[in-house]
Structure formats: C-alpha cells, structure tokens
Amino acid sequence: MLTIKNLHASVEDKPILKGLDLEVKAGEVHAIMGPNGSGKSTLSYVLAGKDDYEVTEGSVTLEGEDLLALEPDERAAKGLFLAFQYPLEIPGVATMTFLKTALNAQLRARGEAELPTPAFMKLVREKADSLGISTEMLKRGLNVGFSGGEKKRNEILQMALLEPKLCVLDETDSGLDIDALKVVSEGVNALRAKNRGFIVITHYQRLLDHITPDVVHVMAQGRIVRTGGPELAHELEAQGYAAYVADAAA
Amino acid sequence: MPAVQETVARVRAIDVDQYKYGFVTEIESDRAEKGLSEDTVRFISMKKGEPDWMLDWRLEAYRRWRTMTEPTWARVDYPAIDYDDLYYYSAPKGTKSGPQTLADVDPELLRTYEKLGIPLQEQEILAGVEQRRVAVDAVFDSVSVATTFKEELAKAGVIFCPISEAIREHPELVRKYLGSVVPTSDNFFATLNSAVFSDGSFVYVPKGVRCPMELSTYFRINEKNTGQFERTLIIADEGSYVSYLEGCTAPMRDENQLHAAVVELVALDDAEIKYSTVQNWYPGDSEGRGGIYNFVTKRGDCRGRNSKISWTQVETGSAITWKYPSCILRGDNSRGEFYSIAISNGRQQVDSGTKMIHLGKNTTSKIISKGISAGYSNNTYRGLVSAHRRASNARNFTNCDSLLIGNHCGAHTVPYLEAKTSTAVFEHEATTSKISEDQMFYCQQRGLSEEEAVALIVNGFVKDVLQQLPMEFAVEAQKLISISLEGSVG
Ligand SMILES: Nc1ncnc2c1ncn2[C@@H]1O[C@H](COP(=O)(O)OP(=O)(O)OP(=O)(O)O)[C@@H](O)[C@H]1O
Ligand SMILES: [Mg+2]
C-alpha cells in the first residue's frame, strides 16, 4: 500500500532522511522506534507534505500513486492521516465544527456526498463516547485548553471519523496516563482492518503491549537500520540504541 | 460550520480577483457643477426643496469648513484630496426629491440593487414565508431611491424615510436632533458633510415601541468623481428599541472616491439602538489603485437613563478607513458597546476604533475589536475610554486582538485611557497573533485547502463579534471575510 524507496529529505538544507526504504502492506501495523532526533517526525511530515521539508531523492507511493506530487490536503483526501506528536490549537473553532469541515472537505475532494448534519452529529458522538471525549469538549475551541492526553485522544477521534487508509501515529502514547493509553490503543485497534495500514512511531514497549505490531523497525540517523518482529521492541527496551547509533555513524 | 463551506463555495463560484460589486450602472444623472462653493451648497439645498433654516445650517457649516484643515493624526497615507475636483451632488435622472413608490423607480436602478442582492421588491419579500423582513432604504449616489415597508412601519408609528424627506415632513424632530450628537463643528469631515450632505436615512421610533422589523440602508456610489456624503439620524424615544443595518458597495474605478458620512444616534430613557454595518466599499486593486476613501463620523448619545447603544461593524472594503463609532454615556446606568471586525488586505489602510465617553453614573462599556491584516495592508485600532469626574463606578472592558496573515502587513493598537474618577474600573486586554504555518499544515493534513484553512481560522478568530450580528448579516459577513482574504496566502 505504502512504498518508500531511497527517500532523502532535507530541512533548511540539512539532510535528515538519508536513503530510507519502507514497505507497508494493507492490514499491517508497523512500529518505528529510534533515538531522539533520528528523523521519525521528519518522516511523518515528509509523508504528509509539510512545507520546508524538501525531498531531494527517492519516491513515495500510496496505492501506486505518487504521493510526493500531491498537496497536503490532496494526500489527506487520498487517505493519509497523521496523528501529530504536538497537535495544534485553533481558537474559536469548535472541535465539532472542525471535524465537520474536515470530513466534508475530504468527501467533496473524493466526489462523495457530504454527510447530513444529524447523521454527522450522531457519528461523532458515538466515536467520541468510546474515546471518553465529552460533548462539552466537542464544543470547545479545537484543542484549546485541552490537556496533553485530551489532545491525543482528539487526534484518534479525528482518525476514527476520517477513516483513512494509512494512519501515521507520531508518539501518540507520550503524555498519556495508563487509562488513557488503554482507551487510545483500543481506539486504534478498533480501526485495524484488512484494507488499512499503520505506522506507529513510539519510544515505548508499553504502547506495543496494547497495539501488537506486525513489523518493528529501528530508525537511526535518517534510515531504517533494522527490521524485525514484535520481539525486536523487547530487545530495544532491554538494550537501548547504542549499537545502532554507532553502526549508522560508521 | 456549514457557513464556512458555503463561504468558500461562494468564493469559488465568483471570479475571486473580481470585486463582486464592481460593476457600473449606465444611467443618466443630474449633477451639480464640479467643485465646492456656497453656490454648490445652495444648489443641493434647492434640489432637495429644503426650508431656509436647513440652508442656513449648511452654509454655516460650509463657512466653518473653509477655516479648517484636514486631520493628519491617523496612521493612513494618501495623496492630498482636491476638494474642488469633485462632484458634490449626483442624482439618477428622473428621481424627483420627494416621496415615491417603487413603481416610480428607474428599472435600471432596481436591477442594480438586484445585482447587489438587496431586496427592494416588497411583494416578493412579503411572499417569502420564513424570511425575516427587513425594511430597506436604498441610497444611490446622492439620493435615496426607494424606501420599502413604509406603510407597515407607519402603523407602528415608526418613521423611516430619506432624511431629505424628514427635513420637509418632520422639521420639528430634525431641528431638535440633527447636529445634537455630532455638532457641525465636530471635525473636518463631519463639517464638510454638514455642508453638503445629500441624503441618508432618518428613523424615529416613538415611546415604548419595539420596531417591528430590522431597518436597513444600502449605500451605493456609482458616479465617477463623486463624493458621497450621507447623513443618518436615528432617534429612539423612551423605552423603544430598534435594530438598524447598513451596507455599502461601490463600482471598481481607477480613481479614488470620497465618502464622508455622519451618523448620529440618540437613545432616550430605557431605549436601545443596535446599529450594524457591513462596509464593503471598493478597496482598490492589488497595487493600491482606486478604492474608496472612507472618512466617517459615527456617534451615539445614550442621552437617557438606562439607555443602550451598540455598534457592530464588519469593515472589509475601502482603500482608506478612518472611522470611530463612539458612545457618549450621558444617562446614568447607560451602556455602550462596540464590536468590530476590521479586515485589511492588498494595500488597504485601516485606522478604526471607538470612543467610550463615560459621563453618567454606573455607566458601562464593552469593546471587542478584531483586526485582521493581510497582504501589504496596515490595520490600526485606536480606542479612547474616558470617565468624567461625575461618572462614578464607570466600567469598561476592552479586548483588542490582531491577527496577521503573511509577513508584509502591519497591526497597531493605540489605546487611550483617561479616568477622572477613582471609582472607574477599566480593563484592557490585547493580543497579536499570526496564523502559523503549523496551524495551516494541521488543517490541510485534515483535508482543508489553504483557502478553507484561512477561512476557518479567521472565522474562529472573529466568532465573538459575528455572534453580535443579526443572522442574515452574519452569513453575509462571513462570505465577505473570505472574499476579502482571497489571495492572502501563498
Ligand atoms: N525545522 C528544522 N530545522 C532544522 N533542523 C530540524 C528541523 N526539524 C527537524 N530538525 C532536525 O532533524 C532531526 C530529526 O528530527 P525529528 O523531529 O524528525 O526527530 P525524531 O526522530 O522525531 O525525534 P524525537 O524522538 O525526539 O521525536 C533533528 O536533529 C532535528 O533537530
Ligand atoms: Mg518526533
């Protein structure tokens, strides 16, 4: 579904991704782990098409289509979703309004009919309930005054509503208490499906205890340096990244 | 917010580089000689069939104006205006001054208002079941061409007519109140207006009457090189209530057009006036050619106890805006409010704000100002809050936020606070923010286009003020906001 080949990308002329290869098949969950500054968030931004992240070499395709040729909103409509490491605040725009605007924008871009308001409200309430997001929160300005954990849950709510094909979760577990971690993981697991792929970026095994990955990658200095099964995460938890940092530098 | 999507859809539907109201109406007109002299003033007064007292009033203003100089303290920059190179009176041919019915109106004019989306056809409006009814007075260049729903308003005792008609038909009211809030000597532009004002609306709501519908005036400048100087006077007698809406547009022209209006509001004991404006004069092109110079004096006098005046404005047009709708809180317990959205894009220059002058006891005022600057524009909020010695327990709350889009625009806040009583409590909050690239990216990642993202963020920013507008106006205002921010990203 997602194929990344020899991806090189720079920020402000500084090379960050240096020849990254990755293949995510429909139905798979891939975890990416790696030391701070290794380029994990950069990868997620490059996939989503953020300005200032310049691809200098390589290719990315989503279901065979050249993702890099598309604008960020077109990528979203194609089914790419990024749960941000640091979700943004938009004062004065109720969360509910934002959700509706986003969903309708994507439906329109795909040439599908917009959802009538009552059906939309019902859908949001259901999904919000299961994530422990109150109606009162949906009325507040988007992420304004939300706690760190609430913001992360709100990201999952958006993901659940938009039903993307490829979900990239950037440290969605950071800042979550134990109960919230469970709620969020259940939210993600509920979305696992044959036709949907996941890239889960995390530093901690505890998330992977809830969301069992099919594949685990280690990223260091802008490259995938090792790939394995779920057991790799346990190994990293025990041994750290020292070996990879040295390897990649060599 | 369906309105946001509707907004964007509407923006897409029209050619966005095109100022929507920029067409010129081909119509013959009757004009005064170019330039300004006592003769011009006499000509206007004669055309309007005015009584002597009105002519004298104008002439006194004219003579005073000759001794005055144009103010320069505002943060706006424009080439000197040649007041002798303007026409001060222009009327579509065939409009006699005096009362008339819609049937008398030139069909070309009616088509103009139709294009502008302004309903002048009473029948159609009456037929529309759920549509809220709005009585409209339409002013085209220098004259009022049609006032709708007059009879129905008359049943309630409300007078709503062109001010030229009020001068003839209701001289006792006009003489009592005209110039009582904005004296002829007030300022350069107000004095000029007093000498040459041609038309505008007059409203009188009698004691204890709640005006049965929204009143509205649409102003349209059509003629080339023509100044528009309208004069509006609204009087809410004891215990009455009225909501008044004002809208403005002008054709696209390369040269600048002058607009110098005066609006006076008087609220007596327990009366309330709600005055809303959506100002969309032609702002000039992206290089700053053409556009309206808008120098307006708007002031409300809360003359009676427990009276209330609120100004709500959405300012998106004009090359230059110089405008400070103010409240004089004279009556004890009176209340003044000012809600403003001022948007500048391209080369527009806005210097706008308010004055809240607390004279009576226990008077309160509230100011919510949202300035949005984009392109190469400059946007200044200028606000005065003062409390007189006798104004014990005066309270003001001011919230003044600026939002910047892009790196070439400017936002400035100039507050003046003067409290001569120790019991006054003034609170002032101000913020300046920018639409961040991260916010934009976040919205786009969720599927919004750049334009939709800006519209959404800006609509969030101005929400508190939009809520103050009557429903139909809020929707209109939202559309305007998106249209005027076209091309502000990228
Ligand atoms: N805008 C920028 N300008 C300059 N350098 C940047 C910029 N953004 C990221 N970098 C650099 O790119 C490198 C990779 O950063 P990135 O955020 O992708 O790391 P990460 O793997 O997500 O780290 P963490 O685990 O701490 O989240 C870092 O060295 C960072 O300083
Ligand atoms: Mg990161």
Side-chain angles (χ1 to χ4, degrees), chain A residues 41 85 170-171:
Chain A
S41 292
Q85 185 170 0
D170 192 359
E171 296 198 25

Side-chain angles (χ1 to χ4, degrees), chain A residues 50 82 89 108 155 158, chain B residues 438-439 442 445-446 452:
Chain A
K50 192 169 191 216
L82 170 59
E89 298 182 0
R108 265 200 319 276
E155 293 291 284
Q158 295 178 44
Chain B
D438 287 343
Q439 275 176 324
Y442 188 73
Q445 207 302 304
R446 297 304 184 248
E452 288 170 317

Side-chain angles (χ1 to χ4, degrees), chain B residues 2-14:
Chain B
V4 174
Q5 282 148 30
E6 196 199 328
T7 305
V8 173
R10 284 284 282 259
V11 171
R12 291 245 166 82
I14 60 171

